[in-house]
Amino acid sequence: MFQGAYPLEERYDLWSLATFKPNRKIPVHRWFYFKEGFSRELVVMLAGELGVSEGDIVLDPFVGSGTTPLTCMELGYRGIGVDASPLAVFVSLAKTRIYSPDELRQALDSCLATRPIHQVLDGLSNTVKRAFPMKSLQELLSLMDAVETVENEDSRIFLKLALMNAAVKASYIYRDGSVLKFVKRPVPPLRPLFRKIAQAMIDDVKKIHFRSGPAIILEGDARRLEAIEDESVNVIITSPPYLNKIEYTKMYEVELELFFRKKRLDLLRSYIGLIARSPPREIPSLDGLPDSAKLYFYDMSESLKEMWRVLMDGGRAAVVVAGGVYPDKVVESDVILAALAEDVGFKVEKIRVISRRVATSGRTHRIGAARESIIYLRK
Ligand SMILES: C[S@@+](CC[C@H](N)C(=O)[O-])C[C@H]1O[C@@H](n2cnc3c(N)ncnc32)[C@H](O)[C@@H]1O
């Protein structure tokens, strides 16, 4: 199958690898359910196809929940992850440390030995107050204080993630598709839940085997990878936000405020720009697209330039993307991004289509198929 200038290879058998689902059974990978994430298996497959060797540097500039660098540590590659979301950076960091189970156990015991202290709730938003039964919120703030006093930084990060996971389970939070809802229901007491979740995570630490040191995880913008030197990366494996897809930050509003002291950041829109800007310079190939799509592709073109800059000569990249559905049309991101990558200087090796959802308007009128694809690039 050919679409314009690029060979499209159809591999619909691979569709589930581009979802987070397979990670739910894998130690450490399962520490944070990230709906937008892809699987460990996909990273293993892509690393093999792109010829990554032991000791190579693999970058994921949209690292999300850390699947790429975590898998790299298992395979003996050096992983670097960048993300603009403090929550994603934190989760990736927590999943890519090398922990001592004994040290974690001691830190957990010392947190559990503290007594709850009455907490003042003045600074908290109504959203946070509505998300928990009062008793759980009091308990949570006390445990957060206890975790903050843990001296060893890695243990502190680990326990913070365990507590965040426990807090969600002891809350009224219900994430329905891309909407955050609060549903009043009986919830389990937080302290025993925290113990159970942290203990299960410590068991995971004993199960995973790493062949390289901790990954480097940075908060940053994929359009300006200032911390990464020119031609210093062997391979890029990544999945940027999908065009016209869900708003990430709203879903995690409660965690962001409680654990990262961020109130309702409208940081990340469905396009990858951090700040809404005036319309970008014109790219002729984008003529006729909706404005939000133009902004998305403009930002992605900036990010592709950065990928080109940091890759070594001959370096390869695999970029997982999907088409955007608009009321009257489907915008085929894979071929547009491939063309933008070519403008930047990349050779497009192929586009592998892994899923294809028929999009309709008014339920019956077929407006096209939104493809999910992997774009293979070479510098
Ligand atoms: C599709 S998710 C990546 C999921 C990841 N592959 C995983 O398995 O968890 C896209 C990520 O891009 C991040 N992002 C959005 N805009 C960004 C930007 N300008 N720079 C860096 N990261 C950005 C989002 O915070 C989100 O974590």
Side-chain angles (χ1 to χ4, degrees):
M1 182 174 158
F2 265 80
Q3 177 86 24
Y6 311 111
L8 295 190
E9 180 194 87
E10 294 175 324
R11 283 292 305 273
Y12 300 124
D13 55 311
L14 297 176
W15 74 270
S16 67
L17 298 198
T19 71
F20 192 81
K21 267 211 174 125
N23 292 349
R24 296 176 80 168
K25 292 200 169 84
I26 308 176
V28 185
H29 286 270
R30 60 184 163 197
W31 284 1
F32 186 86
Y33 180 73
F34 198 61
K35 200 163 179 279
E36 306 81 29
F38 53 39
S39 66
R40 174 187 186 278
E41 233 177 310
L42 185 80
V43 178
V44 172
M45 181 191 87
L46 292 174
E49 287 180 329
L50 300 179
V52 186
S53 336
E54 190 129 1
D56 276 0
I57 298 184
V58 178
L59 167 71
D60 187 342
F62 300 96
V63 75
S65 60
T67 308
T68 304
L70 175 59
T71 308
C72 286
M73 288 170 67
E74 294 179 86
L75 299 176
Y77 316 142
R78 289 180 288 164
I80 305 179
V82 176
D83 205 286
S85 149
L87 177 63
V89 169
F90 167 70
V91 170
S92 296
L93 200 62
K95 286 163 74 178
T96 56
R97 299 308 87 200
I98 296 183
Y99 296 108
S100 141
D102 288 341
E103 216 161 90
L104 292 175
R105 177 83 252 167
Q106 277 171 20
L108 173 63
D109 287 345
S110 78
C111 287
L112 289 168
T114 57
R115 288 184 173 281
I117 303 165
H118 180 76
Q119 302 278 336
V120 186
L121 305 180
D122 284 358
L124 296 176
S125 71
N126 284 335
T127 309
V128 163
K129 288 181 195 159
R130 272 175 51 220
F132 299 92
M134 188 50 72
K135 197 165 167 250
S136 305
L137 187 54
Q138 285 284 342
E139 184 82 289
L140 174 58
L141 296 172
S142 293
L143 284 169
M144 282 172 71
D145 284 349
V147 167
E148 277 309 313
T149 63
V150 170
E151 251 174 57
N152 179 281
E153 192 187 355
D154 285 354
S155 302
R156 206 164 57 233
I157 292 172
F158 175 95
L159 289 173
K160 186 165 156 178
L161 181 59
L163 184 57
M164 198 165 85
N165 286 336
V168 172
K169 289 216 162 86
S171 76
Y172 298 139
I173 291 174
Y174 176 71
R175 293 190 240 268
D176 184 11
S178 59
V179 187
L180 174 66
K181 287 184 184 162
F182 301 124
V183 180
K184 285 217 170 172
R185 61 198 158 93
V187 295
L190 181 65
R191 208 165 263 257
L193 193 62
F194 172 49
R195 179 199 300 274
K196 194 172 149 207
I197 287 175
Q199 188 51 60
M201 285 169 60
I202 295 174
D203 291 344
D204 270 10
V205 167
K206 295 180 195 153
K207 285 179 199 146
I208 198 159
H209 178 67
F210 290 131
R211 295 175 57 205
S212 64
I216 296 172
I217 306 294
L218 307 166
E219 187 167 334
D221 185 339
R223 298 167 305 165
R224 285 183 295 274
L225 297 170
E226 282 139 359
I228 302 175
E229 280 179 28
D230 294 3
E231 311 203 341
S232 59
V233 168
N234 298 93
V235 160
I236 291 175
I237 295 176
T238 197
S239 170
Y242 288 177
L243 173 60
N244 215 15
K245 255 299 180 66
I246 63 168
E247 184 106 13
Y248 296 96
T249 37
K250 288 221 175 82
M251 293 263 287
Y252 300 109
E253 211 178 316
V254 175
E255 289 97 320
L256 278 169
E257 180 180 333
L258 271 173
F259 290 89
F260 305 95
R261 311 250 174 262
K262 309 256 179 202
K263 280 207 183 137
R264 237 192 204 275
L265 287 184
D266 272 335
L267 261 185
L268 303 171
R269 308 278 298 270
S270 51
Y271 59 87
I272 71 161
L274 298 188
I275 314 155
R277 292 165 306 135
S278 50
R281 77 182 154 79
E282 288 303 315
I283 301 179
S285 59
L286 302 181
D287 281 352
L289 292 182
D291 278 353
S292 67
K294 280 189 187 168
L295 276 168
Y296 173 83
F297 288 115
Y298 175 74
D299 283 332
M300 279 305 299
S301 141
E302 299 293 294
S303 154
L304 285 163
K305 276 184 210 155
E306 281 295 81
M307 294 190 208
W308 165 266
R309 178 183 68 75
V310 301
L311 271 176
M312 290 173 193
D313 236 11
R316 297 169 79 191
V319 186
V320 184
V321 301
V325 179
Y326 284 85
D328 59 339
K329 66 167 134 197
V330 170
V331 174
E332 287 167 345
S333 306
D334 53 2
V335 288
I336 296 176
L337 285 168
L340 292 176
E342 252 180 5
D343 288 349
V344 163
F346 280 110
K347 178 180 180 327
V348 179
E349 294 187 318
K350 71 175 169 196
I351 297 175
R352 177 185 281 169
V353 186
I354 55 172
S355 84
R356 201 166 175 277
R357 262 166 298 122
V358 173
T360 54
S361 80
R363 285 178 185 271
T364 49
H365 175 58
R366 192 181 182 285
I367 53 170
R371 294 193 294 262
E372 190 170 24
S373 313
I374 308 171
I375 309 171
Y376 290 76
L377 304 171
R378 186 190 283 273
K379 177 167 173 178

